Amino acid sequence: MMIKSNLFAQESQENKRFVKISQREDRCDLPKSVWRPLTENAYFQTWKGVTIDKDPTQIAAYPMLLYELRPKTIIELGALKGGSAIWLADNLEIFGIEGKVYSVDVDLDRLDETAKADSRIHFLEGDCNKINIALKPELLSDLPHPWLIIEDAHVNMVGVVEYFHENGLQSGDYLIVEDTNKFMWEVWLDWDDQAYIELGLQKVDDFRKWLMKHENDYEIDTFYQDMYGYNASKNWNSILKRV
Ligand SMILES: C[S@@+](CC[C@H](N)C(=O)[O-])C[C@H]1O[C@@H](n2cnc3c(N)ncnc32)[C@H](O)[C@@H]1O
């Protein structure tokens, strides 16, 4: 009975949906070789004509998470051209969620005109190295929950996530740290900008260490994390729910 066994699978998935990092492995069901073709055209991928740097599994999983979480506040670190911020705002609108999108970048000059004209999004110029200035504690304390924080700037990642941990992340909020897939960085080791790739690999290690320190504070949501296979995403073990 196909349907019955699917139901059992769903139930057992629910039982172990939220798990600690110590129960998770640094591996992925998708082989290393696929991460090059899956990421090499990232800057040609668009939403409403604006670059969006998300992999296909993220494009599918994020809307489901948004629909379930119904975030009142989304903060994205790393706006690039603004495509992901527009996509997040569109998803909120489609689902009838009254949430606000804040997107921070050190250089907002690169924003696409479509993004600049989108009044639903609050683009803030700021440096992740000075996150307490870019997003002051007073501002954060006024932002309604639940929150979805997306770290996608790859600069001072530990400082940034620790800052949100200390300044507002509450039980039920989500934190996603992007690009924690080791395979994805390793397949680009022959790329011109070696230093950037090394920084990416460092981020992966730093992230796991940070999460081990906070394993009683954050759990991995394996429902979204493993939707398309174990860690089958640019994000390994980094779709987190605050306990
Ligand atoms: C990977 S891109 C973001 C992609 C975007 N979130 C998306 O999904 O389309 C990283 C962004 O981080 C920004 N960035 C780099 N250093 C930064 C810093 N110190 N503070 C804030 N943003 C920074 C870059 O300007 C770049 O736009």
Side-chain angles (χ1 to χ4, degrees):
M1 289 267 291
M2 191 61 186
I3 293 173
K4 200 169 174 189
S5 65
N6 278 350
L7 276 177
F8 282 133
Q10 235 171 3
E11 273 169 26
S12 76
Q13 177 88 2
E14 272 305 308
N15 290 340
K16 55 177 175 31
R17 174 168 172 178
F18 298 99
V19 302
K20 292 181 187 214
I21 184 65
S22 53
Q23 296 169 264
R24 297 282 297 183
E25 295 168 59
D26 280 330
R27 68 171 180 86
C28 174
D29 274 346
L30 296 185
K32 191 193 273 192
S33 59
V34 307
W35 287 102
R36 189 139 180 165
L38 275 182
T39 54
E40 72 188 337
N41 292 321
Y43 290 107
F44 297 123
Q45 183 173 254
T46 58
W47 178 260
K48 290 183 166 168
V50 185
T51 308
I52 177 170
D53 185 11
K54 295 279 176 280
D55 77 54
T57 69
Q58 292 177 298
I59 298 275
Y62 258 96
M64 288 184 270
L65 169 60
L66 293 172
Y67 184 75
E68 185 188 14
L69 178 63
R70 307 191 78 75
K72 292 214 170 72
T73 301
I74 297 179
I75 301 176
E76 173 187 64
L77 288 319
L80 194 63
K81 306 254 179 190
S84 51
I86 299 172
W87 174 65
L88 291 163
D90 281 345
N91 274 288
L92 293 186
E93 200 170 310
I94 288 165
F95 300 141
I97 302 167
E98 287 186 16
K100 290 219 166 86
V101 179
Y102 298 82
S103 185
V104 178
D105 204 288
V106 75
D107 179 8
L108 289 182
D109 286 347
R110 277 183 297 186
L111 278 185
D112 190 277
E113 292 304 317
T114 311
K116 281 185 192 162
D118 196 323
S119 60
R120 299 169 305 172
I121 305 159
H122 306 268
F123 287 105
L124 306 170
E125 196 155 79
D127 185 346
C128 285
N129 287 308
K130 295 175 187 153
I131 189 70
N132 58 322
I133 295 170
L135 291 163
K136 294 202 164 78
E138 308 86 82
L139 168 75
L140 294 182
S141 64
D142 280 344
L143 300 179
H145 295 256
W147 287 3
L148 170 61
I149 309 290
I150 304 164
E151 192 290 314
D152 196 20
H154 317 315
V155 170
N156 185 29
M157 179 274 299
V158 169
V160 167
V161 292
E162 194 62 31
Y163 180 71
F164 285 107
H165 176 71
E166 294 293 340
N167 290 279
L169 273 167
Q170 293 179 0
S171 176
D173 291 343
Y174 271 70
L175 166 65
I176 297 181
V177 179
E178 296 263 345
D179 297 347
T180 49
N181 174 335
K182 202 173 191 171
F183 286 176
M184 184 199 82
W185 293 105
E186 284 174 352
V187 292
W188 287 102
L189 272 170
D190 62 346
W191 197 40
D192 290 350
D193 192 347
Q194 281 285 318
Y196 186 68
I197 303 299
E198 300 287 340
L199 276 176
L201 284 164
Q202 186 63 51
K203 174 178 179 174
V204 174
D205 283 350
D206 292 347
F207 169 70
R208 193 176 173 99
K209 279 184 204 138
W210 178 83
L211 191 51
M212 286 296 289
K213 243 177 55 189
H214 286 285
E215 79 161 345
N216 294 323
D217 302 318
Y218 297 91
E219 288 179 337
I220 294 140
D221 186 343
T222 64
F223 182 72
Y224 297 113
Q225 187 69 68
D226 300 338
M227 177 72 63
Y228 308 102
Y230 194 94
N231 273 335
S233 162
K234 282 209 297 177
N235 308 330
W236 281 8
N237 300 320
S238 58
I239 302 176
L240 309 176
K241 187 175 188 179
R242 176 96 204 235
V243 174

